[in-house]
Amino acid sequence: MPAALTLLGCRGCGSFIAEAALRLADIPYSYEETDYDAPGPQRARLFALNPLGQVPTLVMPDGAVMTESAAIVMMVADRAPQAGLVPPPGAAERNAFLRWFVFMVAALYPTWTYGDNPRKWMPEAAHPEELRTSTDRHRQTLWRFVEKSISPAPWFLGARFSAIDLYTGAMTQWRPKRDWFSAECPKIAGVAAEAERLPPLADLFRQHFA
Ligand SMILES: N[C@@H](CCC(=O)N[C@@H](CS)C(=O)NCC(=O)O)C(=O)O
């Protein structure tokens, strides 16, 4: 039995997505809680493994490092297609999956990256918080666009579960948070609620977001 994967993550963060994928795939892993903002040995370890200082960061049994939630999801799907994370080539949902999967990581995720800690990106600026305001606003525009585009039944892609439901479940916990989605984007809120009810993930959702 090879040594388990090691996931560096933090409570309530996007590492939840990688962890949920590993659980759905029944792939054993060990977990290291890593506060990417708190100086100390764990943060130093994170930066040594991933110069972006981001979670999820995954260390493979042979010491190789994987970063980027989407890459980790694809790797897990390769190893465990039965987990249903990625519709396979030829599946009716494949193109929609590719589109929204990349949208989650390429369009939505950076709005938090740049908005969470605006001073990091604008150290000289008199009002760095304006970057948070503008990225928060942009994110709401993006979510409203998603809301108009999808017809969940009950999953983001329709009848088929996919990793996008994990992104939706986690990202709707972040600004502008669940109440906003319930009021403004009920279809997205419904997808998130459905993901939270997945039996293998209910505990994990609670650990990260309760
Ligand atoms: N593109 C990366 C983004 C990961 C990311 O931004 N993670 C956040 C936590 S939710 C983080 O580590 N932020 C710290 C930082 O960017 O300095 C992915 O999809 O994994």
Side-chain angles (χ1 to χ4, degrees):
M1 178 103 154
L5 304 165
T6 302
L7 176 65
L8 278 69
C10 70
R11 187 172 176 273
C13 294
S15 52
F16 164 85
I17 296 155
E19 196 173 2
L22 290 167
R23 289 231 183 154
L24 289 174
D26 255 333
I27 296 176
Y29 63 95
S30 59
Y31 178 80
E32 294 182 14
E33 178 68 21
T34 305
D35 182 343
Y36 50 77
D37 275 337
Q42 197 60 30
R43 183 169 187 268
R45 169 162 157 77
L46 175 65
F47 270 85
L49 293 167
N50 177 1
L52 294 178
Q54 292 182 335
V55 296
T57 289
L58 189 65
V59 186
M60 310 294 277
D62 65 358
V65 175
M66 280 202 78
T67 63
E68 299 302 327
S69 57
I72 293 168
V73 163
M74 297 298 286
M75 179 275 291
V76 171
D78 285 351
R79 282 173 63 162
Q82 74 282 1
L85 295 163
V86 175
E93 299 86 353
R94 176 77 172 182
N95 288 351
F97 173 82
L98 292 173
R99 176 190 182 188
W100 294 113
F101 185 52
V102 174
F103 184 92
M104 293 278 161
V105 291
L108 276 166
Y109 218 144
T111 65
W112 293 283
T113 305
Y114 298 110
D116 280 356
N117 184 3
R119 181 158 299 282
K120 175 173 163 186
W121 308 106
M122 306 179 76
E124 318 288 322
H127 298 289
E129 68 280 3
E130 288 175 359
L131 181 59
R132 175 177 285 207
T133 307
S134 66
T135 48
D136 279 359
R137 196 182 312 122
H138 178 56
R139 182 183 319 114
Q140 292 189 6
T141 304
L142 295 178
W143 278 126
R144 286 186 206 281
F145 165 61
V146 173
E147 178 75 6
K148 273 195 292 192
S149 307
I150 63 173
S151 305
W155 303 111
F156 190 105
L157 296 178
R160 184 180 201 129
F161 166 80
S162 75
I164 297 175
D165 302 304
L166 304 179
Y167 279 90
T168 306
M171 287 177 160
T172 52
Q173 298 279 354
W174 306 339
R175 298 189 309 283
K177 303 201 172 175
R178 278 296 167 84
D179 288 350
W180 182 87
F181 286 94
S182 301
E184 305 288 332
C185 296
K187 289 191 276 181
I188 295 170
V191 171
E194 204 65 40
E196 278 182 17
R197 280 195 287 270
L198 271 177
L201 299 185
D203 278 356
L204 193 65
F205 265 106
R206 263 194 301 281
Q207 278 164 31
H208 278 271
F209 300 113

